[in-house]
């Protein structure tokens, strides 16, 4: 799907209050401030114990904290553990 088409789909999903997984958009779940789970990622861009940047397609997901570690990762899913202080979506 072209970039403009993806943007239109995401805008329509937001207006209709539909879950992100419907159009293949990444899904991010937090368990307190100790674990982040993400589906449909497109790779880890950078990784340290204080900062992990994840390619989410149209958005980059930036996770900041302390003692961060990649607990599990497959082609489609990943799990980060540690003390999560901030999650940013960068367009």
């Amino acid at each position: 799907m072209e970039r403009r088409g993806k943007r239109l789909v995401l805008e329509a999903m937001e207006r209709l209050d539909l879950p992100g997984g419907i159009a293949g958009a990444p899904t991010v779940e937090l368990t307190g401030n100790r674990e982040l789970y993400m589906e449909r990622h497109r790779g880890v861009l950078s990784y340290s114990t204080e900062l992990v940047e994840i390619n989410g397609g149209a958005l980059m997901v930036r996770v900041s904290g302390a003692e961060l570690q990649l607990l599990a990762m497959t082609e489609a899913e990943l799990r980060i553990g540690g003390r999560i202080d901030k999650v940013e979506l960068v367009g």
Side-chain angles (χ1 to χ4, degrees):
M1 187 182 302
E2 68 182 53
R3 185 177 203 129
R4 182 176 181 271
K6 285 182 184 180
R7 189 177 72 243
L8 291 173
V9 168
L10 291 174
E11 287 174 8
M13 287 172 41
E14 186 174 313
R15 288 184 185 143
L16 296 172
D17 197 26
L18 298 174
I22 291 176
T27 301
V28 177
E29 294 179 20
L30 282 174
T31 304
N33 69 338
R34 302 303 286 166
E35 191 170 279
L36 178 136
Y37 172 74
M38 183 171 176
E39 293 180 334
R40 291 181 288 282
H41 71 89
R42 295 186 180 167
V44 174
L45 301 171
S46 68
Y47 175 80
S48 74
T49 57
E50 290 85 33
L51 178 68
V52 180
E53 295 179 323
I54 308 158
N55 182 353
L59 295 172
M60 176 179 60
V61 178
R62 184 178 291 149
V63 182
S64 305
E67 301 175 8
L68 298 176
Q69 54 184 310
L70 191 57
L71 300 175
M73 182 172 159
T74 66
E75 190 174 304
E77 304 172 337
L78 63 79
R79 188 173 306 274
I80 297 170
R83 190 188 80 224
I84 299 170
D85 295 329
K86 182 168 37 169
V87 177
E88 296 176 88
L89 303 176
V90 181

